Amino acid sequence: MRTIGGLTKSTPLKWLPVLSKIVPPKLRREEHALLQEWKKYVNNPFLPIHTDLTALEGVQRLKSRKPPWKTARDLIKDNFNIKNPDNQKLVINPTTKQPGFDLERNTWVTLNRIRTGDGRSGYMMYKWGLRDNETCDCGYESQTINHIITECPIRAFKGTIEDFHLTKKEAVEWMKNLDVKL
């Protein structure tokens, strides 16, 4: 998932399924097992449980339990459920392809690193031991991705972070012309 999204190893795990559009393995296994069981019961009217399932459609006797037919139905309806990554409130539906999925590879990678706030900035390069200091060219003491986008007098983007998420033309052009490789 990191390779697909062009993300670094330090990227928070909750971003990986959202940006790569791959359902986490645990949910894929659950979905497959439940759907297989559900289809077996629903498609075979000769099984005694077939009539019970249609009769129990809205009834749940034990509130503390989650019956498999309800779980299977929910999985069909929701496809998969991923929590919204918490450092950006920009992802409305994590189950869909995020805007910019069809951009050129290097632009897509830069966009994902901006979204996650985790990439090859001066701060991270210093943290990884690849630079002697974390200062920015502008003299600011810590070159983070947020600094590059919003505060840096040399490189700052004139729009908002939402422009990156929506992949507006100005944001894409700014990423392509950026003199720092994130």
Side-chain angles (χ1 to χ4, degrees), residues 21-78:
K21 184 68 174 91
I22 297 175
V23 182
K26 180 180 184 264
L27 292 174
R28 284 196 312 255
R29 285 189 299 271
E30 275 182 24
E31 181 179 32
H32 179 70
L34 283 170
L35 290 176
Q36 195 172 20
E37 185 178 344
W38 178 257
K39 287 175 187 174
K40 180 174 71 173
Y41 296 147
V42 170
N43 293 333
N44 193 346
F46 300 110
L47 290 174
I49 195 168
H50 179 78
T51 55
D52 292 341
L53 287 177
T54 54
L56 292 174
E57 189 66 29
V59 179
Q60 187 174 349
R61 289 179 24 210
L62 300 174
K63 292 186 181 196
S64 64
R65 299 202 180 198
K66 194 166 185 180
W69 62 85
K70 186 173 187 281
T71 307
R73 201 176 44 217
D74 292 346
L75 279 171
I76 291 169
K77 195 178 352 170
D78 298 337

Side-chain angles (χ1 to χ4, degrees), residues 1 3-4 22-23 31 51 59 91 101 120-122 132 158-159 174:
M1 287 187 205
T3 303
I4 290 170
I22 297 175
V23 182
E31 181 179 32
T51 55
V59 179
V91 179
F101 201 80
R120 291 186 282 187
S121 63
D132 295 334
K158 297 193 181 3
W174 181 85

Side-chain angles (χ1 to χ4, degrees), residues 100-154:
F101 201 80
D102 56 343
L103 290 172
E104 298 171 1
R105 172 80 177 153
N106 58 350
T107 309
W108 171 247
V109 167
T110 304
L111 177 63
N112 286 341
R113 291 178 179 176
I114 289 171
R115 285 176 172 159
T116 61
D118 193 61
R120 291 186 282 187
S121 63
Y123 169 75
M124 293 303 285
M125 298 292 272
Y126 175 72
K127 190 174 171 182
W128 297 332
L130 299 173
R131 263 179 82 168
D132 295 334
N133 59 29
E134 59 183 271
T135 58
C136 183
D137 302 349
C138 69
Y140 191 76
E141 57 188 62
S142 184
Q143 184 193 45
T144 61
I145 291 183
N146 187 45
H147 167 74
I148 293 169
I149 297 168
T150 59
E151 302 164 355
C152 186
I154 300 171

Side-chain angles (χ1 to χ4, degrees), residues 3 9 19 33 67 73 79 86 89 97 108 123 135 169 171:
T3 303
K9 194 170 184 179
L19 296 177
R73 201 176 44 217
N79 194 5
D86 58 357
K89 304 258 186 278
K97 283 184 182 176
W108 171 247
Y123 169 75
T135 58
K169 184 178 178 183

